[in-house]
Amino acid sequence: GEDDAVLVAVDTADRPLGWVHVAMRRLLELEDTAQVTGLVVDEAARSGGIGAALLAAGEAWAHERGCRTMDIASRESRVDAHRFYERHGYTRYKISHRFRKTLADRAE
């Protein structure tokens, strides 16, 4: 849709090596921002610049749509991912808890 994009990196044989999903976040209390909801690079292709290229492509997509900031949520245990994001200019600004509730099936 117009509010999100999945960008895919492929090899010369058109096989996927990684992807990034970026979504617009329009919240009343914030200027338009985008969020990386997923960034995955095939384990065999890591450390080759694919993640950085995907992240940059996601940032460009968001910037073209008027976003001034980009957010990324990352589990506390993913220390390597945190270092990757920090190397690419991201700053940890909040530690929070996320809550989930399973909603009952709606009666038709």
Side-chain angles (χ1 to χ4, degrees):
E2 291 182 23
D3 286 347
D4 71 323
V6 176
L7 308 170
V8 181
V10 296
D11 66 11
T12 55
D14 212 29
R15 290 182 300 246
L17 298 174
W19 56 268
V20 63
H21 180 220
V22 183
M24 298 282 292
R25 293 181 63 211
R26 291 187 173 92
L27 304 173
L28 291 176
E29 71 272 18
L30 291 175
E31 62 189 348
D32 281 353
T33 187
Q35 181 171 15
V36 172
T37 62
L39 174 60
V40 175
V41 175
D42 184 279
E43 199 167 338
R46 291 185 187 158
S47 299
I50 293 168
L54 286 167
L55 188 58
E59 291 169 356
W61 178 90
H63 189 263
E64 289 167 5
R65 282 151 187 80
C67 291
R68 303 279 312 264
T69 58
M70 180 96 100
D71 279 358
I72 299 171
S74 183
R75 281 193 310 273
E76 187 176 353
S77 62
R78 301 202 57 225
V79 176
D80 288 344
H82 303 167
R83 284 195 284 263
F84 169 81
Y85 297 130
E86 288 168 346
R87 280 196 311 272
H88 290 89
Y90 289 80
T91 306
R92 189 178 317 213
Y93 71 95
K94 178 171 51 171
I95 296 173
S96 63
H97 297 277
R98 298 182 70 161
F99 298 86
R100 176 174 289 152
K101 177 181 180 179
T102 300
L103 304 177
D105 290 339
R106 291 178 30 197
E108 296 295 323

